[in-house]
Amino acid sequence: MPNEEAQAFHYAVYDEVKRIPFGKVTTYGHIAKLIFRPMNARQVGQSLKFLPREISQNDLYNIDNVPWWRVINAQGKISPRAEGMQRQEEMLRNEGVDVEDGKVSLVNNGWFPTTEFDIEEEEDDDDEDEDDDGDEDVDEVTR
């Protein structure tokens, strides 16, 4: 049984994974951003690994009510593991997702709702941009 902090992390992962629409995929890293833990993509994978396989009334989450197969790596690849890789491919194909050689097109099938981390990255990019004419902004220089 995981400690309370680990359990809260697992539950946050499972809640976000349940939001992924039918026929779409997202990445471990994006789930990490959605739960405000952008540096914990690997732990997202671990949470899905610990998803209960046996269905019990005591479990809020299990492999039947959390669509774990919709989470793949940042390159669009299904992470290799024993028999789970083939099952994941099959589950995705049943949802109409094209899987070729263990890879899914994130452009065609990706689900990536904006997070506050994406907004921060955009703001950082904007701060680095110059004005259209290439000169510094006069207001900034005179302040």
Side-chain angles (χ1 to χ4, degrees):
M1 186 82 173
N3 66 36
E4 285 183 26
E5 183 179 351
Q7 186 174 28
F9 183 87
H10 292 321
Y11 285 6
V13 167
Y14 302 154
D15 284 336
E16 283 304 319
V17 171
K18 289 177 89 168
R19 294 183 54 224
I20 305 168
F22 183 91
K24 296 292 182 183
V25 297
T26 198
T27 63
Y28 300 105
H30 201 73
I31 294 293
K33 284 183 188 181
L34 289 168
I35 64 168
F36 303 98
R37 300 286 295 272
M39 304 303 289
N40 294 100
R42 288 183 184 215
Q43 285 80 2
V44 169
Q46 288 297 312
S47 290
L48 295 174
K49 178 181 173 182
F50 292 124
L51 192 59
R53 282 149 184 36
E54 305 275 323
I55 300 168
S56 130
Q57 290 182 333
N58 296 333
D59 291 325
L60 293 173
Y61 306 97
N62 59 61
I63 62 169
D64 283 345
N65 67 12
V66 177
W68 57 269
W69 58 90
R70 296 179 186 155
V71 185
I72 58 179
N73 74 23
Q75 289 75 42
K77 295 179 181 176
I78 294 173
S79 298
R81 58 192 168 283
E83 71 281 345
M85 186 175 178
Q86 288 177 324
R87 182 163 183 228
Q88 188 170 7
E89 282 186 26
E90 181 182 318
M91 303 279 285
L92 289 170
R93 285 190 180 111
N94 288 340
E95 294 189 8
V97 175
D98 290 326
V99 181
E100 291 186 34
D101 298 322
K103 190 168 183 179
V104 173
S105 168
L106 294 174
V107 172
N108 295 333
N109 303 104
W111 178 76
F112 297 99
T114 302
T115 71
E116 72 177 41
F117 303 101
D118 301 319
I119 294 167
E120 287 175 9
E121 289 171 6
E122 288 174 11
E123 288 173 356
D124 290 344
D125 290 345
D126 290 345
D127 290 346
E128 295 172 6
D129 291 343
E130 291 183 336
D131 290 344
D132 293 336
D133 59 5
D135 297 330
E136 291 180 320
D137 188 357
V138 174
D139 291 337
E140 291 297 317
V141 173
T142 58
R143 286 186 195 169

